[in-house]
Amino acid sequence: MRILVTGGAGFIGSHLIDRLMEEGHDVICLDNFYTGRKRNVLKWINHPYFELIRHDITEPIRLEVDQIYHLACPASPVHYQYNPVKTIKTNVMGTLNMLGLAKRVKARILLASTSEVYGDPEVHPQSEEYRGNVNTIGIRSCYDEGKRVAETLCFDYHRQNNVDVRVARIFNTYGPRMLENDGRVVSNFVAQALRGEALTVYGDGSQTRSFCYVADLVDGLMRLMNGDHLGPINLGNPGEYTILELAQMIQGKINPDSEIQYKPMPQDDPKRRKPDITKAKSLLEWEPKVPVQQGLDRMIADFRDRLGASSSEQAAGSSQAEPTPVA
Ligand code: NAD
Ligand code: UDP
Ligand code: UDP
């Protein structure tokens, strides 16, 4: 099959591309390199079945494909709040363009939605039926509301134009290739501990999240894409930890002497989050397999390699060591 992956140079997208290429598909990776990096797909660059296109999905594009995994959108609060209007455009105009493309070529399209559609949830754990508690005018709403509209667009294109849609609600995912300056909690803690810096815990660290290893998540996305259920369907690991527990776990693995520094809690930060994955289990026969201890070890090994390399590049005066966002 010819498969388009938007946001394919990013964290989840590049792991997905590895799996699709290994299965022998013809893959087009489309990315504007805002938070994605060419190095994430470097090993496929000269492969005859791989094509990399630098393109911003807020502009229309005509391609011929069978399936579209639509992942393009910055996912870390730091990056999606850097240019919130752009985040909305990416979610709304970008998703509209991808649905228009899917409609024209009759491709199946999977939207990477998010647990953020539940906002600061009043229901715990969160099942797909829960309608959410989102602040429409807060600093997270460019992302939360953007994804909610993207879901709406999918189902309107489905009802109005028979577009074959799939919607995944992804919960916090971590693993190798996250940007070391990404701002998300697992990458921050791992990078801080490896650099000998204090781990920055926002608030008192009693807020919770549930962390899914990227290989498990990619498996779930592919099952959803190739199954009959449209979604929305939760994909995440139900193991729930407080942020302080996560900090201590990473401290224990890297540097038990590293300090914890408490910082103010960001506005509208959800207090608890844990997926109810009953649907994914029964409809996709999917559940996460990689325990968080093992996933963290793999991620730490990757960060050790990269941070080691980037400090030696910096020492050698390379300008590519720490690219800054531009979009
Ligand atoms: P990421 O930032 O690593 O990847 C996003 C990719 O999209 C990047 O390569 C970026 O350059 C690209 N992109 C952004 N705006 C674009 C635009 N306008 N045009 C073209 N490309 C653009 O993030 P990720 O963690 O890999 O997330 C991938 C998707 O999964 C996102 O849609 C995100 O909302 C969703 N998601 C991720 C998580 C998570 O925990 N990682 C949780 C919920 C949902
Ligand atoms: N679109 C695109 N590629 C295509 C087909 C459509 O980027 O192959 C864009 C198109 O430019 C439009 C959007 O997708 O902005 C929605 O397309 P649709 O055909 O649904 O709506 P219309 O073009 O009629 O407004
Ligand atoms: N967080 C933290 N320290 C950091 C980064 C994040 O304590 O250095 C907290 C953040 O306030 C939130 C949780 O960790 O409660 C998860 O944050 P992240 O940005 O990774 O994901 P999201 O809030 O989108 O789930």
Side-chain angles (χ1 to χ4, degrees):
M1 265 193 284
R2 184 176 295 163
I3 303 178
L4 171 65
V5 181
T6 76
F11 161 53
I12 298 175
S14 65
H15 285 279
L16 171 65
I17 285 179
D18 288 349
R19 281 281 310 275
L20 297 173
M21 288 299 296
E22 280 153 16
E23 287 192 359
H25 295 292
D26 202 327
V27 175
I28 301 176
C29 169
L30 200 148
D31 208 294
N32 70 350
F33 298 113
Y34 174 39
T35 50
R37 296 291 177 262
K38 214 183 259 186
R39 65 163 184 253
N40 289 339
V41 290
L42 204 58
K43 68 174 167 197
W44 304 116
I45 294 281
N46 290 319
H47 195 289
Y49 292 166
F50 180 76
E51 203 176 332
L52 177 62
I53 303 176
R54 180 189 286 264
H55 175 80
D56 193 306
I57 55 157
T58 58
E59 300 293 336
I61 186 167
R62 288 171 82 86
L63 297 164
E64 315 301 319
V65 295
D66 303 302
Q67 288 188 340
I68 304 170
Y69 286 91
H70 175 35
L71 276 64
C73 176
S76 160
V78 173
H79 290 128
Y80 70 65
Q81 288 164 12
Y82 176 76
N83 185 344
V85 173
K86 175 72 188 193
T87 302
I88 294 263
K89 285 186 188 170
T90 296
N91 275 315
V92 179
M93 294 158 65
T95 302
L96 185 78
N97 285 333
M98 291 308 111
L99 285 162
L101 170 61
K103 177 177 108 180
R104 182 177 62 80
V105 299
K106 297 189 170 43
R108 180 175 290 182
I109 177 168
L110 180 150
L111 169 71
S113 184
T114 169
S115 55
E116 292 281 327
V117 300
Y118 302 124
D120 188 3
E122 299 137 315
V123 169
H124 193 81
Q126 294 80 51
S127 75
E128 291 83 352
E129 283 68 39
Y130 178 49
R131 301 272 176 92
N133 175 35
V134 175
N135 176 0
T136 58
I137 57 169
I139 57 171
R140 295 176 84 98
S141 47
C142 58
Y143 183 74
D144 303 4
E145 294 290 3
K147 289 285 187 183
R148 287 169 70 103
V149 172
E151 287 196 9
T152 306
L153 279 170
C154 284
F155 279 83
D156 281 337
Y157 265 81
H158 175 66
R159 282 184 290 258
Q160 196 174 329
N161 301 113
N162 276 323
V163 173
D164 192 11
V165 298
R166 300 286 181 273
V167 174
R169 290 191 180 145
I170 303 171
F171 284 64
N172 298 60
T173 300
Y174 70 99
R177 296 187 197 154
M178 288 184 91
L179 289 179
E180 53 277 16
N181 59 352
D182 179 271
R184 282 182 277 189
V185 69
V186 189
S187 45
N188 268 9
F189 287 172
V190 170
Q192 288 161 345
L194 287 172
R195 289 180 178 131
E197 298 166 3
L199 275 57
T200 51
V201 169
Y202 302 160
D204 62 4
S206 63
Q207 71 271 34
T208 68
R209 292 292 186 277
S210 306
F211 301 100
C212 186
Y213 188 67
V214 64
D216 282 331
L217 195 270
V218 164
D219 184 47
L221 290 177
M222 291 172 68
R223 281 170 190 260
L224 175 59
M225 174 63 105
N226 295 303
D228 298 326
H229 186 69
L230 273 54
I233 197 153
N234 289 339
L235 294 177
N237 190 323
E240 184 187 8
Y241 298 88
T242 69
I243 294 305
L244 192 57
E245 281 170 343
L246 177 75
Q248 288 160 346
M249 218 155 31
I250 293 171
Q251 252 182 337
K253 285 182 178 295
I254 300 176
N255 178 6
D257 296 329
S258 54
E259 286 175 26
I260 288 183
Q261 185 184 12
Y262 291 91
K263 294 212 163 185
M265 188 74 145
Q267 191 190 321
D268 290 341
D269 201 289
K271 284 178 270 311
R272 299 180 76 187
R273 183 183 291 151
K274 169 186 167 140
D276 177 336
I277 58 164
T278 312
K279 272 199 170 156
K281 278 185 184 166
S282 63
L283 298 170
L284 308 178
E285 292 174 15
W286 175 85
E287 67 182 311
K289 296 202 168 60
V290 181
V292 78
Q293 295 287 352
Q294 207 182 88
L296 283 176
D297 287 341
R298 291 187 206 167
M299 174 161 169
I300 291 167
D302 170 65
F303 268 53
R304 261 190 222 286
D305 283 354
R306 275 162 44 204
L307 290 179
S310 86
S311 47
S312 51
E313 277 167 27
Q314 267 165 353
S318 162
S319 60
Q320 290 182 342
E322 201 75 48
T324 35
V326 288

